[in-house]
Amino acid sequence: MTRQTIPDLLPGTLDLLILRTLQPGPMHGWAISERVQQISQDVLQINQGSLYPALHRLEHQGWIEAEWRVSELGRRAKYYRLTASGRRQLAVEASEWERMSAAIDRVMKLA
Amino acid sequence: MKLSGLKLRIRAIFKPDTVERELDDELGFHIECETRKLMAAGVNAAEALQHARARFGSIPLAADQCRDERGVDFFETLARDVRFALRTFRRTPLVALTVVSTIALGLGVVTVAFTFFNMFFFRVDAVRNPDELFAVERPTRPGFRGHVPFTWTEYEAIRQGTNVFTDVAAARPSIPTRINGRAARGMFVSGNFFDMLGVTATRGRTLTQADNEDGGRAVVVLTQLGWEKFKKEIGVRMALGATPRDIVRLVVSQSMRPIAIGVLVGGGLAAVTAIVLLSMPAAGMIGTAIHAFDPLAYAVGLGIIVATCLLAAFVPARRAAHINPIATLRAD
């Protein structure tokens, strides 16, 4: 099975995936990358080097908030949480994504 | 910039060590998680760590990209530059002093110049059609700055004999005078001055052609600033118990005050200074030369003011006596 490394997939999708992954609750960086890989059944693998710059960017945008907590390993970890404006942004980006993928879908089927 | 981003930036500027340590911790935690995961799958510790690092890619590069997201490069560079400048100043204090004082002086000059420019060129908009106004002057010699004032006859000739201008008014600015013992500057103008400029009085009237009449009483139009000064003093005196009679006597005895016939409020001229605009009953004195300096004319002009003021002072004095002190003081 070929693995697709994000963000080579499509520009902007990394942000969308991070926001969506954080929707159920706070998570630290590593957990986010694991979660995406797991849910996508190993098809999507976040480029770990670009995950953290993306997290910091989203934090500066005010879409996610960071908090230091003791992790399951007993070590301090930085947990990220969606903010209210992050939820709004997620809704915008999700609908944009749906529009885009539906469009590509139509072209693939009908062109 | 969003507030959250601003907070993070401020934190990165003032607590750079903490922010750096947190970044190290965060990335280190990721490597540890990855390593543990591999170890749980049966890989030995050293190999697991190696794999975890390989999968992550360059840690310093990721850290740098995270720092870029903070967007504090500008501030860091600025702080470095300022420190460098201060060091240079310390090494060469004389040069630094010269540079700083040159800039300060330059700024000061520009500020003063702009203040004047603002005063004389931007604040004349209360005048009707300022772009249609022209100053007619007669230099003492071609190319020289001094002016020879026009005589009244010459003014009349210019006024009636030319059809280039809609109207011509005479003005002699910067006449020193006194109001209530205080130095003030006035201006002799012909009766049609205000009509020509399109300036009206807020109270009373402005000058008319009738005020040009030889032997007519001297009248003055106060600018807004002049009026503010004048009415406050009268109000204070009455509040201190002066009767209307006292005020009349006071003003008459000071009597350097020409009769006030009108007040300009918010007029373009008001911005310049506390100018008292005087009409000139003695026709021969008026010239159109603007900025002309003629001590003799000033002296004669002042003499006429003094003489006519004595006669005219009674009317404003009586008017002053009827000012309600409480209302006046409250208005201020």
Side-chain angles (χ1 to χ4, degrees):
Chain A
M1 182 184 288
T2 45
R3 278 182 174 176
Q4 185 65 55
T5 308
I6 304 165
D8 296 338
L9 183 64
L10 262 180
T13 41
L14 181 57
D15 287 7
L16 172 63
L17 288 171
I18 291 171
L19 293 175
R20 178 62 185 83
T21 310
L22 286 173
Q23 201 178 19
M27 255 182 222
H28 51 74
W30 184 76
I32 294 171
S33 85
E34 283 296 295
R35 181 96 181 132
V36 169
Q37 200 171 329
Q38 220 174 58
I39 299 270
S40 69
Q41 296 174 335
D42 276 355
V43 175
L44 299 174
Q45 186 178 324
I46 289 181
N47 178 348
Q48 298 188 342
S50 44
L51 170 65
Y52 287 93
L55 284 170
H56 284 230
R57 183 175 61 246
L58 295 175
E59 190 187 359
H60 275 267
Q61 297 275 13
W63 293 334
I64 58 177
E65 264 174 359
E67 189 190 2
W68 286 90
R69 283 198 218 163
V70 177
S71 73
E72 57 272 23
L73 298 181
R75 182 174 161 176
R76 246 162 49 97
K78 200 176 178 188
Y79 281 78
Y80 292 96
R81 186 163 55 82
L82 265 189
T83 63
S85 77
R87 278 178 207 286
R88 281 196 296 276
Q89 181 64 19
L90 174 59
V92 170
E93 290 200 13
S95 74
E96 193 61 26
W97 171 257
E98 257 160 44
R99 208 168 63 89
M100 181 69 82
S101 67
I104 291 173
D105 217 31
R106 271 203 304 280
V107 172
M108 293 312 289
K109 280 180 186 150
L110 302 173
Chain B
M1 199 195 302
K2 288 186 178 164
L3 189 67
S4 54
L6 187 68
K7 270 190 217 155
L8 290 170
R9 271 170 208 216
I10 288 169
R11 194 161 172 268
I13 290 166
F14 291 102
K15 288 182 170 175
D17 296 344
T18 313
V19 172
E20 277 299 306
R21 203 176 56 239
E22 284 180 2
L23 183 60
D24 283 349
D25 281 357
E26 186 177 21
L27 299 182
F29 179 78
H30 183 102
I31 299 293
E32 192 185 326
C33 288
E34 191 73 19
T35 310
R36 284 190 185 225
K37 184 190 160 195
L38 290 168
M39 279 164 73
V43 187
N44 73 55
E47 217 171 306
L49 182 62
Q50 205 184 345
H51 270 105
R53 285 198 171 140
R55 202 193 149 191
F56 190 89
S58 166
I59 295 173
L61 179 68
D64 259 352
Q65 286 170 343
C66 288
R67 289 186 195 107
D68 285 348
E69 298 301 340
R70 285 180 214 155
V72 292
D73 268 10
F74 170 75
F75 296 103
E76 281 169 4
T77 316
L78 188 74
R80 257 203 306 279
D81 287 350
V82 168
R83 276 199 298 275
F84 177 70
L86 290 176
R87 267 205 308 279
T88 315
F89 280 1
R90 245 202 325 269
R91 264 205 304 277
T92 54
L94 204 65
V95 173
L97 193 73
T98 313
V99 169
V100 169
S101 53
T102 306
I103 294 172
L105 214 65
L107 284 176
V109 168
V110 168
T111 310
V112 169
F114 180 75
T115 307
F116 274 94
F117 195 75
N118 188 31
M119 231 181 226
F120 291 110
F121 293 95
F122 293 150
R123 296 283 183 84
V124 289
D125 55 354
V127 170
R128 187 177 57 207
N129 305 333
D131 50 326
E132 289 178 14
L133 282 175
F134 296 91
V136 180
E137 299 176 335
R138 178 165 57 186
T140 43
R141 261 186 287 163
F144 275 70
R145 289 196 59 201
H147 299 288
V148 180
F150 293 102
T151 62
W152 184 260
T153 322
E154 282 169 334
Y155 158 64
E156 299 262 72
I158 292 169
R159 183 156 185 248
Q160 280 150 26
T162 60
N163 49 14
V164 183
F165 301 116
T166 321
D167 199 2
V168 178
R172 175 177 276 285
S174 290
I175 311 292
T177 181
R178 283 184 178 277
I179 294 183
N180 235 2
R182 271 201 229 162
R185 286 198 162 263
M187 196 169 164
F188 289 145
V189 295
S190 54
N192 61 341
F193 184 76
F194 293 99
D195 279 346
M196 191 195 74
L197 294 179
V199 175
T200 52
T202 310
R203 294 192 201 181
R205 62 173 177 91
T206 55
L207 304 182
T208 63
Q209 280 293 32
D211 294 313
N212 274 350
E213 293 307 310
D214 217 352
R217 60 179 193 182
V219 284
V220 58
V221 175
L222 295 171
T223 59
Q224 185 177 6
L225 286 173
W227 164 248
E228 294 299 331
K229 239 187 224 174
F230 166 83
K231 80 171 176 196
K232 197 167 188 170
E233 277 185 16
I234 302 292
V236 168
R237 282 182 192 181
M238 289 188 71
L240 289 172
T243 63
R245 234 188 138 79
D246 290 336
I247 294 295
V248 172
R249 206 178 300 136
L250 193 73
V251 179
V252 171
S253 68
Q254 286 178 346
S255 66
M256 289 299 108
R257 187 204 314 274
I259 166 175
I261 58 160
V263 179
L264 298 168
V265 173
L269 297 157
V272 180
T273 173
I275 292 176
V276 182
L277 296 163
L278 296 160
S279 82
M280 258 297 294
M285 285 310 305
I286 296 180
T288 46
I290 294 180
H291 305 307
F293 182 74
D294 186 346
L296 182 68
Y298 282 7
V300 175
L302 266 181
I304 294 165
I305 295 171
V306 171
T308 44
C309 282
L310 276 168
L311 288 170
F314 182 74
V315 179
R318 227 183 53 192
R319 194 171 295 176
H322 288 98
I323 288 177
N324 178 350
I326 303 303
T328 312
L329 288 173
R330 198 174 285 153
D332 285 308

